Amino acid sequence: MKEIDSTLRNLVEKNRTPSVQYAVFNRDSMIHQSVAGYANIGKRIGVSESTTYNWFSVTKTFTALAVLQLAEQEKLGIDQPVKKYLPDFPYNENITIKQLLSHTAGVPNPIPLRWTHLADEHASFNRDDYFRQVFEKNKKTKSGPGEKFAYSNLGYVILGSIIEKVSGLTYEDYVRKNIIRYLNIKDHELDFTIYAPDNQATGYHKKWSLSNTMLGLLIDRSKFMGKTEGKWTSFMPGYVNGTSYGGLIGTAGAFVNYIRELLKPDCRL
C-alpha cells in the first residue's frame, strides 16, 4: 500500500493531477484509504474524506437498481415495451425496458457536454422541459431494438421517467428512499445536491492540451469555465441536466459503502 500511496502522491506533486483519492476494501471493512492534493487549487482546500464529487455515470447503476427493484415488486416488467409505461415514448414501439438498461435499444446519444447548468441556475431548472426539446431534435434511432450495443444517456433519461411514472415519486426521492437510506450515510455524504460548496471538488481540465482547446467548440467557456489555477482551468460549480444518467454527488466513502452493500449475499438493495 505504501508503494501505491507514493506513486499516486507523486502524480499530484508533479502536477499530473490536482488530486487523487482511492480506497481498498472488502464487503466487511475498509482496508486502506488514501487522499492527496487539492479539492480547490485556488483556495488551497485540500482533499479529505468529506470531499464530495460529481459521480456522473455511476448514477446509472442506481437507476438500473431502481428499475430492478420495481420489477421485483412486479410494478413493471423489464421485457415489456417502454410504450406500455410511457405512451408518449418517441421511439420504436417494440423497444423494451431491458434494452434501455443494456444500451441495446438504439436510442441516440448526442454529445452530452452541453447538458449542464450552473449551480445558481439549479432552483429554476426544469429537467422535463429541457429533455422534451432534446428528444424533439433526436427522433431517429441508431439501430433496431436489440440489434447492437450503443451507449445512450438518453436511454437512462427515459428509465428515470419510467421510475417516476411507476413509483409515483420523483426520481430523486425514489433513490433517496429506496437505495440511499439503506446505506447508513448522511444527506451531505450522498445526494443530488451540493450541500457544502467548500467540500465539493472543483472540476479541472489541463490548460495546455488539445482537448481543452476543443472544449470551446462544445461548451460556452465564458459561462462554464472558471479561473486558470496553475496548469489547470477550472469548471464553474454545476449540475448535469439529466439526474438519472449522472446526477449523484457524494464522497468516496459513500461510494465504498454502496459497493460493499452490493457485495453482501443478503444485500438489502
Side-chain angles (χ1 to χ4, degrees), residues 209-260:
S209 63
L210 177 61
S211 56
N212 190 37
T213 302
M214 292 175 64
L215 271 178
L217 303 174
L218 300 171
I219 65 172
D220 182 350
R221 295 179 68 95
S222 64
K223 178 178 180 179
F224 292 104
M225 302 298 286
K227 297 178 180 178
T228 296
E229 299 171 6
K231 291 184 177 180
W232 305 93
T233 302
S234 63
F235 288 90
M236 298 295 290
Y239 295 88
V240 298
N241 293 348
T243 315
S244 56
Y245 72 75
L248 276 169
I249 296 167
T251 65
F255 194 11
V256 168
N257 285 346
Y258 169 56
I259 300 173
R260 282 171 57 189

Side-chain angles (χ1 to χ4, degrees), residues 52-55 59 172-173 175-176 180 185-195 239 243 247-251 254:
T52 54
Y53 303 84
N54 292 82
W55 282 18
T59 308
E172 294 86 347
D173 280 346
V175 170
R176 288 181 183 118
I180 294 177
I185 56 179
K186 298 178 175 63
D187 290 347
H188 67 270
E189 295 174 319
L190 179 61
D191 198 73
F192 297 94
T193 303
I194 299 172
Y195 274 92
Y239 295 88
T243 315
L248 276 169
I249 296 167
T251 65

Side-chain angles (χ1 to χ4, degrees), residues 62 65-66 69-70 73 75 163 167-187 190-192 195 248 268-269:
F62 283 69
L65 180 57
Q69 286 179 344
L70 292 167
Q73 298 163 24
K75 293 182 178 179
I163 292 166
S167 71
L169 300 170
T170 65
Y171 170 80
E172 294 86 347
D173 280 346
Y174 181 90
V175 170
R176 288 181 183 118
K177 291 181 179 181
N178 295 281
I179 300 178
I180 294 177
R181 79 180 181 94
Y182 289 104
L183 300 177
N184 298 319
I185 56 179
K186 298 178 175 63
D187 290 347
L190 179 61
D191 198 73
F192 297 94
Y195 274 92
L248 276 169
R268 292 169 293 173
L269 304 179

